[in-house]
Amino acid sequence: MNVADEGRTVSWHGNPSKPRYVPPPGAVDAHCHVFGPAARFPFSPKAKYLPADAGPDLLFALRDHLGFARNVIVQASCHGTDNAATLDAIARSKGRARGVAVVDPAIGEADLHALHAGGIRGVRFNFLKRLVDDAPRDRFLELARRLPRGWHVVIYFEADILEDLRGFIDAIPVPLVVDHMGRPDVTQGPDGADMKAFRRLLESREDIWFKATCPDRLDPAGPPWESFVRSVAPLVSDYPERCLWGTDWPHPNMQDVVPDDGHLVDIIPQIAPTAALQQRLLVDNPMRLYWSDA
Ligand code: 0GY
């Protein structure tokens, strides 16, 4: 495990390879985070991990290195409900980043509109017990009913609670984006129980999107993540208008198996084999969700 000077964890690759795959112009990395810098943006007292600084300069350098044009920055749990680091990164992006916030469900209308002005276009509901202390479904629902126009909910859960969450998900009145496809066991293959359950969810509503992300988290075999590719490619092909892609940089909690971001980019043509699919996955879909006003 890499440890930064201050004893904080480094979970990202220091020298990612240059991908062989060249994304289409305008490609969006639609799932990434920033950490700190902690001197300006301290971590939450409730943070479950304390990462080394991974601020906007590093993120935008990686964006350029990988051949991407834009980022969607998702507020990471280590910053709790203080979105200042995410907003700062968006402000520094010169219009090339937008974000997803994590908020106290009691947030008022004026604060929601201030987040909108800062480039936020959705809120994240995190159900992973190792990351957050509680996930109050009734309060989340109340918030979802009064989000600014055009916003969506990003939801993060693991496959074993999908059935339990169905009633909650059904009640959300705005589009939903599922992080990492709800973390299916991809070793079961495309017709395994987890993928089938996730497909039932996608079939239940036309406004549920998913991130075809995190082979490094989902495929224990490691690169070239063959089980991930085999399970996820059919999903992208069957739901081409509802998929997003992202690096997940700086890969929170992945310090023991840090992925090479260049290798992550290089499996894009395997999960989206045609230029038309790649254009939707990397450009058209994220632009529709995050830059519809641009
Ligand atoms: C991810 C996944 C993780 C962490 C967070 O907000 C977070 O801390 O999202 C995780 O540890 O699985 O998407 O970044």
Side-chain angles (χ1 to χ4, degrees), residues 46 73 84 115 131 148 160 187 198 201 256 273 280 290:
K46 294 182 180 169
I73 303 173
L115 290 173
L131 295 174
D160 62 341
T187 66
F198 190 62
L201 178 71
D256 294 331
R280 282 179 162 176
Y290 292 97

Side-chain angles (χ1 to χ4, degrees), residues 239-253:
Y239 299 94
E241 283 158 6
R242 300 203 240 160
C243 50
L244 302 168
W245 186 89
T247 54
D248 186 39
W249 188 90
H251 312 290
N253 300 307

Side-chain angles (χ1 to χ4, degrees), residues 31 33 35 49 74-78 124 126 128 130-131 156 179-180 183 214 217 248 251-253:
H31 185 90
H33 314 276
F35 299 151
Y49 58 93
V74 178
Q75 168 82 351
S77 62
C78 56
R124 190 187 201 200
N126 188 338
L128 266 67
R130 66 179 167 79
L131 295 174
Y156 190 23
D179 277 344
H180 322 326
R183 299 189 63 122
C214 287
R217 290 185 195 277
D248 186 39
H251 312 290
N253 300 307

Side-chain angles (χ1 to χ4, degrees), residues 180-181 210-215 228 232 236 243-246 271 281:
H180 322 326
M181 301 159 291
F210 62 95
K211 294 179 187 166
T213 38
C214 287
F228 179 91
V232 174
V236 171
C243 50
L244 302 168
W245 186 89
I271 60 171
L281 177 71

Side-chain angles (χ1 to χ4, degrees), residues 126-145:
N126 188 338
F127 285 88
L128 266 67
K129 289 195 171 73
R130 66 179 167 79
L131 295 174
V132 290
D133 292 332
D134 57 342
R137 298 182 191 193
D138 46 346
R139 300 184 72 213
F140 282 166
L141 264 187
E142 190 278 325
L143 172 63
R145 294 193 185 105

Side-chain angles (χ1 to χ4, degrees), residues 7 37 41 49 56 71 73 91 122-123 149 151 165-166 197 207 233 241:
F41 306 112
Y49 58 93
N71 298 103
I73 303 173
V123 288
R149 242 163 64 112
W151 281 33
L165 278 177
R166 281 298 298 270
D207 60 351
E241 283 158 6

